[in-house]
């Protein structure tokens, strides 16, 4: 099938969070399954620093009373065509934020629709998050182009209807009070990025006021677990970490711990329990819970803590303050830096994700692969990927807690800190985590089946034979 991915982010050229990991890798795997997949992205002002982009556009279009240009290049390390939507609104060197955010992404979605109607006509437009949410609405009148809408973040729902009507074409049949509410109604299929979160969003606690609508849509909304690219995230070959290692050579991993302690200004001590976190600094990620728990935990144990991320100013400030209160024990890296994030995954003993909600979570999968034991709240995709460690039966790959309460988080952290001191069991725990394979092959087949279902075709229809055989093998999760 001809499939166009339309999104605001794609790894490694335009990344803020996990959506980039999905859009940067899934097209490559779908291509191996025989699809003609292409990607459509805004031409951000920083892209020429990361990609070679021809100076002549391949096409010029017109939307919302503005001309725009389309430039064609390739997704790095692949032959996937990448179309860049060129307009002065995207010239600033940022992906999100700014007063024109709603307008410029609506223009982007409009440009993508024009592109599909007039230049390259796909069978399916695979849309990601609210930025692309008007596309399913418009394509409702183009029955030969179908749409899949993937929810990475239900909390951001785009402009309200009254605002949209002042910006763009809202067809007479359009229902929904904002972009996301309209997108889920008009897309042929809707999915979110883990099976558990697909169920949770039907509940008022997680539905972000769309739970009723999502319940009403029934089977149209499904969950497909994200994966990670085992070649990109591979401690055996990662060029960004001082010492490569594998599950069999975990002894060597300590080199990364010592180097990380030095790099981020922690006391250099191989025996201290070093806990890490890499995240967008937003409410979703449970930072209020962390900040309520951390002081007490640091007084009770000799743990070291390093956090890396950017986001809301109040969290950045509180983390700075925490770091200044605990010199040598807490380090706040208020920045976005992919190579340093790898060193953090490779050098920390444990990795925390106390999320308030989590559609899937990529970070815990990377942590598992790098042998950093995840400590997570059991919500969303974290339930599908992290299983509580049971030292007696020697099962599980991390530590989990249920309620969004500081005491529950604290207790879970203490259990992990204690567990760390039983070195033999801890090593086995790390190895079980490293053995889990959350790769894209399985998920790509589920997307393939989802695309087929739009046309009433059986799930494996059109799959290469080797992949059908792969599908029969169960996913290995310890
Ligand atoms: N400061 C920093 N420096 C370097 N790298 C950083 C960084 N901050 C974050 N990252 C990286 O960004 C990614 C974060 O991905 P997540 O899936 O964990 O969360 P996110 O909320 O962004 O994604 C949303 O979309 C994804 C994809 O569907 C869902 O898994 C998730 O639940 C949903 O909230 C990881 O690769 C992480 O290493």
């Amino acid at each position: 099938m001809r499939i166009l991915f339309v999104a605001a982010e794609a790894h490694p050229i335009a990344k803020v969070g996990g959506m980039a990991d999905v859009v940067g890798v899934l097209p490559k795997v779908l291509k191996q399954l025989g699809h003609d997949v292409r990607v459509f992205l805004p031409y951000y002002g920083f892209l020429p620093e990361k990609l070679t982009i021809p100076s002549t556009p391949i096409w010029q279009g017109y939307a919302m009373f503005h001309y725009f240009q389309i430039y064609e290049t390739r997704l790095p390390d692949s032959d996937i065509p990448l179309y860049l939507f060129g307009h002065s609104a995207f010239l600033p060197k940022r992906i999100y934020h700014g007063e024109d955010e709603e307008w410029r992404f609506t223009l982007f979605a409009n440009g993508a629709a024009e592109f599909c109607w007039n230049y390259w006509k796909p069978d399916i437009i695979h849309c990601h998050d609210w930025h692309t949410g008007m596309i399913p609405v418009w394509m409702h009148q183009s029955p030969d182009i179908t749409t899949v809408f993937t929810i990475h973040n239900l909390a951001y729902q785009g402009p309200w209807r009254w605002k949209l009507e002042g910006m763009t074409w809202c067809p007479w049949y359009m229902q929904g009070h904002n972009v996301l509410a309209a997108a889920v109604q008009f897309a042929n299929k809707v999915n979110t990025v883990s099976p558990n979160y697909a169920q949770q969003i039907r509940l008022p606690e997680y539905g972000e006021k769309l739970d009723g609508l999502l319940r009403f849509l029934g089977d149209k909304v499904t969950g497909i677990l994200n994966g990670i690219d085992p070649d990109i995230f591979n401690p055996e070959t990662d060029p960004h970490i001082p010492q490569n290692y594998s599950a069999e050579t975990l002894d060597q991993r300590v080199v990364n711990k010592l180097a990380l302690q030095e790099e981020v200004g922690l006391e250099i001590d191989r025996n201290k329990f070093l806990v890490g976190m890499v995240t967008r600094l937003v409410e979703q990620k449970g930072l209020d819970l962390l900040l309520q728990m951390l002081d007490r935990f640091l007084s009770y144990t000799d743990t070291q803590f390093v956090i890396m991320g950017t986001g809301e100013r109040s969290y950045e400030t509180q983390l700075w303050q925490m770091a200044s209160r605990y010199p040598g024990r807490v380090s706040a890296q208020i920045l976005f830096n992919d190579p340093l994030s790898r060193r953090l995954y490779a050098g920390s003993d444990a990795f925390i994700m106390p999320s308030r909600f989590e559609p899937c979570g990529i970070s815990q999968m990377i942590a598992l692969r790098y042998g950093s034991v995840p400590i997570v709240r059991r919500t969303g995709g974290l339930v599908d990927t992290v299983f509580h460690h049971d030292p007696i039966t020697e099962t599980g790959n991390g530590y989990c807690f249920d309620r969004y309460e500081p005491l529950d988080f604290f207790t879970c952290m203490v259990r992990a800190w204690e567990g760390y001191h039983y070195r033999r069991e801890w090593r086995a725990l790390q190895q079980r985590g490293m053995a889990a394979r959350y790769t894209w092959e399985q998920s790509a087949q589920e997307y393939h089946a989802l695309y087929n279902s739009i046309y009433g075709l059986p799930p494996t229809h059109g799959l290469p034979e080797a992949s059908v055989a792969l599908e029969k093998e169960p996913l290995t999760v310890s």
Side-chain angles (χ1 to χ4, degrees):
M1 288 181 199
R2 287 152 64 102
I3 302 163
L4 185 70
F5 271 56
V6 184
E9 300 179 35
H11 176 89
I13 49 174
K15 174 165 171 174
V16 172
M19 187 216 289
D21 292 299
V22 177
V23 179
V25 178
L26 182 57
K28 298 182 198 172
V29 189
L30 284 170
K31 185 164 181 157
Q32 286 162 11
L33 298 185
H35 297 288
D36 178 358
V37 194
R38 306 180 183 200
V39 178
F40 191 95
L41 208 70
Y43 190 157
Y44 297 111
F46 56 78
L47 283 184
E49 296 157 23
K50 307 192 170 189
L51 271 177
T52 311
I53 306 168
S55 55
T56 317
I58 53 157
W59 188 65
Q60 170 160 281
Y62 188 68
M64 287 165 55
F65 307 109
H66 283 252
Y67 284 103
F68 61 86
Q69 286 75 38
I70 302 294
Y71 297 82
E72 183 176 351
T73 175
R74 292 280 177 273
L75 208 57
D77 304 323
S78 79
D79 54 357
I80 302 279
L82 172 64
Y83 299 112
L84 298 173
F85 172 83
H87 184 274
S88 54
F90 288 98
L91 275 181
K93 294 188 174 186
R94 60 179 159 81
I95 295 182
Y96 302 122
H97 309 304
E99 288 181 1
D100 62 347
E101 171 118 330
E102 294 183 337
W103 182 84
R104 70 181 189 141
F105 279 112
T106 306
L107 176 68
F108 167 67
N110 216 320
E114 290 293 337
F115 178 77
C116 296
W117 282 322
N118 298 300
Y119 187 84
W120 189 72
K121 188 169 157 194
D123 301 308
I124 298 176
I125 307 179
H126 192 149
C127 307
H128 298 265
D129 274 356
W130 78 263
H131 317 97
T132 58
M134 284 301 285
I135 296 173
V137 179
W138 295 319
M139 292 303 150
H140 186 63
Q141 284 199 326
S142 302
D144 46 352
I145 303 180
T146 61
T147 52
V148 169
F149 186 79
T150 298
I151 303 170
H152 300 270
N153 202 324
L154 192 60
Y156 304 116
Q157 300 184 358
W160 284 60
R161 171 80 187 243
W162 60 268
K163 227 173 162 184
L164 271 171
E165 284 181 353
M167 291 195 278
T168 191
W169 177 50
C170 295
W172 62 269
Y173 54 80
M174 177 176 162
Q175 292 160 11
H177 61 283
N178 63 31
V179 174
L180 206 117
V184 297
Q185 292 180 73
F186 287 94
N188 294 78
K189 292 286 169 187
V190 178
N191 82 296
T192 185
V193 283
S194 69
N196 186 45
Y197 189 65
Q199 294 309 317
Q200 284 187 317
I201 56 177
R202 292 169 159 90
L203 306 170
E205 297 90 301
Y206 291 97
E208 304 286 347
K209 301 204 163 51
L210 293 187
D211 45 294
L213 177 58
L214 293 163
R215 277 199 300 279
F216 171 76
L217 294 175
D219 291 350
K220 183 173 144 181
V221 184
T222 53
I224 300 179
L225 195 67
N226 285 334
I228 54 170
D229 185 331
D231 297 328
I232 296 176
F233 298 109
N234 184 356
E236 289 182 55
T237 54
D238 192 331
H240 302 298
I241 61 177
Q243 175 68 54
N244 292 114
Y245 60 95
S246 68
E248 285 69 47
T249 57
L250 268 177
D251 278 342
Q252 296 172 3
R253 196 175 180 275
V254 70
V255 176
N256 295 315
K257 178 172 178 175
L258 298 174
L260 178 67
Q261 286 171 327
E262 185 170 6
E263 183 172 1
V264 300
L266 298 173
E267 186 195 337
I268 298 172
D269 182 340
R270 62 193 299 147
N271 293 318
K272 292 273 160 65
F273 184 43
L274 174 50
V275 177
M277 186 173 189
V278 178
T279 182
R280 295 180 296 116
L281 299 176
V282 292
E283 192 198 358
Q284 170 194 348
K285 300 297 179 180
L287 292 153
D288 52 334
L289 204 60
L290 173 74
L291 288 161
Q292 288 176 69
M293 183 279 306
L294 200 55
D295 246 332
R296 176 156 301 203
F297 183 65
L298 289 169
S299 345
Y300 186 80
T301 67
D302 59 353
T303 303
Q304 294 181 337
F305 178 63
V306 53
I307 182 165
M308 178 164 83
T310 55
E312 287 170 29
R313 187 61 59 85
S314 69
Y315 292 131
E316 294 184 357
T317 315
Q318 289 180 75
L319 289 165
W320 271 115
Q321 285 170 349
M322 192 63 88
S324 62
R325 280 219 303 284
Y326 292 93
R329 286 192 64 198
V330 174
S331 170
Q333 303 292 315
I334 308 299
L335 44 93
F336 188 97
N337 183 327
D338 187 45
L340 178 56
S341 79
R342 311 291 184 91
R343 293 195 282 280
L344 205 148
Y345 288 116
S348 56
D349 297 306
F351 188 90
I352 54 170
M353 283 182 81
S355 304
R356 189 181 280 277
F357 67 91
E358 197 58 75
C360 175
I362 299 267
S363 303
Q364 81 281 11
M365 299 189 204
I366 305 175
L368 283 166
R369 181 127 173 88
Y370 280 74
S372 184
V373 175
I375 302 173
V376 307
R377 173 160 177 258
R378 281 175 44 82
T379 184
L382 297 170
V383 174
D384 294 314
T385 49
V386 182
F387 308 95
H388 197 69
H389 164 54
D390 182 339
I392 297 176
T393 55
E394 299 205 340
T395 53
N397 56 12
Y399 288 84
C400 310
F401 64 101
D402 280 288
R403 294 184 315 160
Y404 195 81
E405 293 288 340
L407 183 62
D408 296 42
F409 187 20
F410 175 79
T411 313
C412 188
M413 290 291 288
V414 171
R415 291 180 76 172
W417 172 73
E418 278 179 355
Y420 170 72
H421 293 95
Y422 293 86
R423 294 299 165 92
R424 196 192 64 77
E425 286 76 9
W426 187 265
R427 167 160 305 209
L429 173 60
Q430 285 176 300
Q431 284 170 333
R432 287 200 297 278
M434 292 177 84
R437 285 283 172 270
Y438 295 112
T439 63
W440 275 110
E441 274 69 25
Q442 179 80 24
S443 322
Q445 290 188 8
E446 291 181 40
Y447 277 104
H448 176 91
L450 187 72
Y451 299 150
N452 275 349
S453 70
I454 298 177
Y455 299 96
L457 297 169
T460 53
H461 175 85
L463 273 185
E465 254 174 45
S467 306
V468 178
L470 179 76
E471 193 198 35
K472 286 180 189 140
E473 278 177 32
L475 189 68
T476 44
V477 178
S478 311

